[in-house]
Amino acid sequence: MVEDVEINRLYWHSRRGMLELDVLLVPFTREVYSTLDEVDRELYERLLTCEDQDMFGWFMERAESDDPELQRMVRKILDRVQPK
């Protein structure tokens, strides 16, 4: 079980100050993070250590991460909001 303290910590780390990232990351943290397995939780936390400009490019699908695991997490976040 994910504790509220952990969710709150990640909530603040997910607030990037860039609207395009905030609208993806904050709801993901609140609504999905607690349902992830341990591997994906660690991966999401690693994603949050990346530079905003890199993440912006990945989420706007202008670039891809060199790390396939990070790219998988980006895709998981995008799949939540993009119709198939």
Side-chain angles (χ1 to χ4, degrees):
M1 184 172 105
V2 179
E3 296 190 25
D4 289 340
V5 172
E6 183 178 359
I7 294 291
N8 286 335
R9 178 182 62 81
L10 287 170
Y11 170 82
W12 289 108
H13 285 281
S14 298
R15 301 262 339 247
R16 307 305 284 207
M18 184 182 292
L19 181 61
E20 295 86 352
L21 296 178
D22 289 351
V23 298
L24 292 169
L25 298 175
V26 170
F28 187 85
T29 299
R30 289 283 190 209
E31 299 164 12
V32 179
Y33 179 82
S34 63
T35 67
L36 298 175
D37 62 30
E38 189 63 33
V39 171
D40 281 350
R41 286 183 193 153
E42 290 175 11
L43 187 58
Y44 182 70
E45 290 185 42
R46 189 158 55 100
L47 177 69
L48 294 179
T49 67
C50 295
E51 296 291 327
D52 289 355
Q53 291 302 321
D54 291 335
M55 286 196 293
F56 180 79
W58 302 337
F59 285 117
M60 297 302 115
E61 300 182 289
R62 295 180 183 157
E64 288 191 1
S65 172
D66 293 334
D67 182 329
E69 286 299 299
L70 283 178
Q71 190 57 41
R72 182 177 66 79
M73 180 54 67
V74 167
R75 186 79 256 153
K76 182 181 287 252
I77 294 167
L78 285 175
D79 284 347
R80 260 190 93 243
V81 295
Q82 291 178 337
K84 296 199 182 222

